Amino acid sequence: DVVLTQSPRSLSVTLGQSASISCRSTQSLVYSNGDTYLIWFHQRPGQSPRRLIYQVSNRDSGVPDRVSGSGSGTDFTLRISRVEAEDVGVYYCMQTSRWPWSFGPGTKVEIK
Amino acid sequence: QVQLQQSGPGLVRPSQTLSLTCAISGDSVSSNSVAWNWIRQSPSRGLEWLGRTYFRSQWHHDYKDSVRGRITITPDTSKNQLSLHLNSVTPEDTAVYYCARDRGHHGADYWGPGILVTVSS
């Protein structure tokens, strides 16, 4: 099974500064059609996860452009520029390139 | 707007069957462009995708190997809902259970609010 690891596991960020979260996979996430299916979710306390990014770098509707995803193969990054209070919570990566689909352990972001 | 509402008991005895229902509005359980998933979350296991069902001329089911044999996901077209049945539960099955919609490899774009199920005697 594909195992996703995230680093750091927690992050304390000053408002207005940037944050980067790494997601690494034990196997390449390039699918047989050449696409890469790596997704990022954000979960606020007491809420369900919300999808932010799909297929590595495509933002969902309503996600600000200060949130971006990048990467390829086995290494991926979520970057949040100009961090705001609404960005607190836990961020998860997820892969849907290989069965069974799997999630990373999460990165907790708080405001310093 | 797609809305998913889960229901079911919050407490299940060990060795019994966990049964949950997800009522769908704003979409159809038999849509041929989406799939319907069950995902759970616990402090010890994090987020864990359990399985999904989808209709493409016929019904298909995908299950995670670690729960295969214990899990059944069943669509109900008359009520536009899906069900999760997980048998022979142990305290390790204690988790918040979510139903969620996906459009293939793009992951879950709509999630239910989650329901906490505790397995305890």
Side-chain angles (χ1 to χ4, degrees):
Chain A
D1 294 1
V2 172
V3 176
L4 300 177
T5 56
Q6 292 182 230
S7 61
R9 293 296 309 277
S10 65
L11 199 50
S12 185
V13 187
T14 301
L15 288 173
Q17 297 300 303
S18 296
S20 285
I21 300 169
S22 169
C23 176
R24 286 200 166 94
S25 172
T26 54
Q27 299 178 43
S28 172
L29 298 184
V30 179
Y31 191 63
S32 55
N33 63 4
D35 289 334
T36 300
Y37 297 112
L38 190 284
I39 301 147
W40 290 97
F41 292 94
H42 177 213
Q43 185 176 33
R44 295 190 178 102
Q47 296 187 10
S48 306
R50 172 200 178 195
R51 193 181 67 184
L52 299 176
I53 301 280
Y54 60 92
Q55 210 166 328
V56 180
S57 58
N58 294 284
R59 268 188 301 274
D60 266 273
S61 174
V63 176
D65 59 8
R66 57 189 184 79
V67 177
S68 62
S70 63
S72 62
T74 60
D75 290 341
F76 304 91
T77 301
L78 179 73
R79 180 177 171 82
I80 309 169
S81 304
R82 304 181 303 282
V83 167
E84 300 181 4
E86 67 177 17
D87 298 327
V88 299
V90 183
Y91 292 81
Y92 296 93
C93 57
M94 178 192 183
Q95 67 83 22
T96 58
S97 289
R98 298 179 186 274
W99 293 112
W101 294 352
S102 52
F103 292 87
T107 295
K108 185 175 183 178
V109 172
E110 62 177 19
I111 301 301
K112 195 179 295 182
Chain B
Q1 175 77 346
V2 176
Q3 291 189 320
L4 306 173
Q5 190 58 48
Q6 300 144 213
S7 60
L11 178 65
V12 181
R13 304 300 181 192
S15 80
Q16 300 301 303
T17 297
L18 181 161
S19 296
L20 298 175
T21 298
C22 176
I24 301 162
S25 58
D27 203 343
S28 171
V29 71
S30 55
S31 166
N32 61 10
S33 61
V34 301
W36 302 97
N37 300 254
W38 285 99
I39 297 164
R40 68 184 179 184
Q41 184 174 31
S42 65
S44 59
R45 303 166 80 100
L47 282 164
E48 181 180 21
W49 175 82
L50 297 176
R52 64 180 191 153
T53 187
Y54 55 98
F55 186 76
R56 303 289 186 269
S57 301
Q58 63 183 15
W59 287 103
H60 299 266
H61 306 276
D62 298 315
Y63 298 130
K64 186 175 182 180
D65 281 350
S66 62
V67 294
R68 191 186 304 274
R70 293 202 296 137
I71 189 173
T72 306
I73 297 176
T74 306
D76 184 337
T77 56
S78 66
K79 295 181 179 178
N80 202 32
Q81 65 186 29
L82 72 157
S83 299
L84 167 70
H85 299 285
L86 184 66
N87 60 35
S88 305
V89 297
T90 72
E92 287 204 346
D93 294 310
T94 294
V96 175
Y97 285 77
Y98 296 98
C99 60
R101 187 189 83 165
D102 80 66
R103 286 187 172 276
H105 291 279
H106 292 167
D109 55 357
Y110 286 97
W111 295 65
I115 184 168
L116 173 62
V117 179
T118 300
V119 179
S120 175
S121 54

